[in-house]
Amino acid sequence: MLSLRVGGDSKMRTDSIVTVVVPLVPAHDRFVPQLIAQLVQQREPIERVILARSSARSRNMEPLMKSVSALRAKHDIQIEVSATRRQQLAGQNRNRGWDQVGTTFTAFLDADDEYSENRLAHLVEVAQSEASDLVLHDFLLKDSDSDSLLDDTFCLGDLLRTPELFDATFPDGRNRSREGKQPGDTNINIPPNATKHQTVHHGHVLVRTSLRQYFRYGNLYPGEDGQFCRDVLWAKRQVTYVPAKLSAYRPGLSAEASASVALRTRRKLTRFAEFSRVRA
């Protein structure tokens, strides 16, 4: 594993309790500058940003490192690139970045999405007031770049907690080995009449760092982030849902969407090849 530290100051932010971990593959590198620009606008101070990058070769790492160096010159933010030459799934990248966190909370983000300016401050406030192990929130599904992400508001009285989320997600128990077979079967479900918001972004979460002793991201793809959230909820740890759209997901624009399409295409080709062999 290759670990490279780049930042405006060699000292960590002692006033922060949050580290941001971003799983990265080469296709996501181009989104890093816009992500960092969003993070420096957060009201909650960030100790550092860890870019957990896989498939790292000297040839494809050079543009990323140049970009990170330029960001250091522009912003006063600590950035670490934790890279491995191996081709790894998102869950493996998340775990590798998580292992290097020393703050109370870890914020997992995706490089190719957008985030509310006050997002981290809201999540930390909730986590501290609720003694949360995991904080989830609603998100905006963007159809185009013209859709704007507003600073959504919420009341602490509207928060959903482990009992309500557990009953809505596991009404008939759980068979973890079969998760990932059907669309939506790795989701955390919101009670239908609990709130006007009905969605959860499982990849944009705040988690108590100490949970890594008991929970890890798996190799399911796609769906490893949702399954991780379900693992924490199934164990009846303190999970809190914030009914506010604090991030935006761009399904037609993101690199993850392209990777998902490529994965589905490979699976179809594999099934077709197997079918052809059987017929022959």
Side-chain angles (χ1 to χ4, degrees):
M1 181 181 72
L2 176 66
S3 183
L4 302 168
R5 296 175 186 271
V6 181
D9 191 327
S10 60
K11 297 180 180 180
M12 297 299 181
R13 292 289 300 272
T14 57
D15 57 338
S16 175
I17 59 173
V18 180
T19 299
V20 172
V21 173
V22 184
L24 269 184
V25 294
H28 287 73
D29 288 352
R30 63 191 177 97
F31 296 105
V32 169
Q34 69 182 36
L35 173 66
I36 298 300
Q38 294 181 76
L39 293 179
V40 297
Q41 299 298 321
Q42 294 287 318
R43 287 195 294 111
E44 179 67 30
I46 297 168
E47 185 197 61
R48 58 177 167 152
V49 179
I50 300 175
L51 305 177
R53 172 69 142 70
S54 58
S55 301
R57 300 289 186 271
S58 58
R59 186 172 54 188
N60 70 23
M61 282 294 290
E62 185 176 349
L64 175 63
M65 296 314 300
K66 285 183 177 179
S67 175
V68 169
S69 295
L71 292 166
R72 174 199 176 189
K74 186 176 181 180
H75 305 292
D76 182 21
I77 189 168
Q78 186 82 14
I79 304 173
E80 177 179 334
V81 180
S82 174
T84 177
R85 293 180 174 84
R86 297 177 180 176
Q87 184 176 0
Q88 294 195 323
L89 296 170
Q92 294 169 305
N93 282 335
R94 290 173 186 272
N95 289 335
R96 193 174 71 256
W98 200 11
D99 285 339
Q100 299 174 47
V101 175
T103 51
T104 302
F105 296 107
T106 303
F108 287 102
L109 302 178
D110 293 325
D112 52 341
D113 292 323
E114 299 175 26
Y115 304 95
S116 164
E117 180 178 336
N118 296 319
R119 176 181 177 276
L120 279 180
H122 289 323
L123 299 187
V124 168
E125 178 186 7
V126 168
Q128 291 179 322
S129 66
E130 297 287 318
S132 304
D133 293 309
L134 176 67
V135 184
L136 310 169
H137 60 77
D138 195 6
F139 69 99
L140 173 67
L141 186 64
K142 294 188 68 170
D143 293 325
S144 69
D145 276 334
S146 61
D147 293 337
S148 59
L149 177 63
L150 302 176
D151 186 23
D152 204 356
T153 59
F154 65 96
C155 298
L156 293 179
D158 294 331
L159 298 176
L160 296 179
R161 300 168 179 83
T162 295
E164 305 102 303
L165 296 171
F166 189 96
D167 290 345
T169 303
F170 306 116
D172 302 310
R174 187 187 187 194
N175 186 344
R176 191 179 189 276
S177 64
R178 294 195 59 81
E179 292 177 356
K181 306 293 185 183
Q182 302 292 332
D185 66 359
T186 59
N187 291 351
I188 297 292
N189 296 327
I190 304 301
N193 298 321
T195 172
K196 62 181 180 180
H197 301 286
Q198 300 295 318
T199 55
V200 177
H201 198 300
H202 307 90
H204 304 164
V205 302
L206 184 77
V207 60
R208 193 170 292 274
T209 302
S210 59
L211 254 65
R212 67 186 170 201
Q213 303 175 61
Y214 313 103
F215 303 95
R216 304 292 283 176
Y217 283 89
N219 293 332
L220 185 67
Y221 184 82
E224 89 292 336
D225 48 3
Q227 189 171 65
F228 170 82
C229 295
R230 287 168 69 96
D231 288 344
V232 176
L233 181 60
W234 180 251
K236 294 192 175 180
R237 303 301 292 257
Q238 184 58 44
V239 180
T240 311
Y241 173 75
V242 177
K245 298 182 186 298
L246 301 181
S247 65
Y249 171 58
R250 303 171 296 174
L253 304 172
S254 69
E256 184 174 338
S258 300
S260 180
V261 170
L263 178 64
R264 291 196 299 270
T265 300
R266 288 196 298 271
R267 287 173 175 171
K268 288 180 181 178
L269 290 174
T270 300
R271 289 196 296 269
F272 178 77
E274 292 174 349
F275 178 73
S276 298
R277 285 197 297 270
V278 171
R279 294 197 64 180

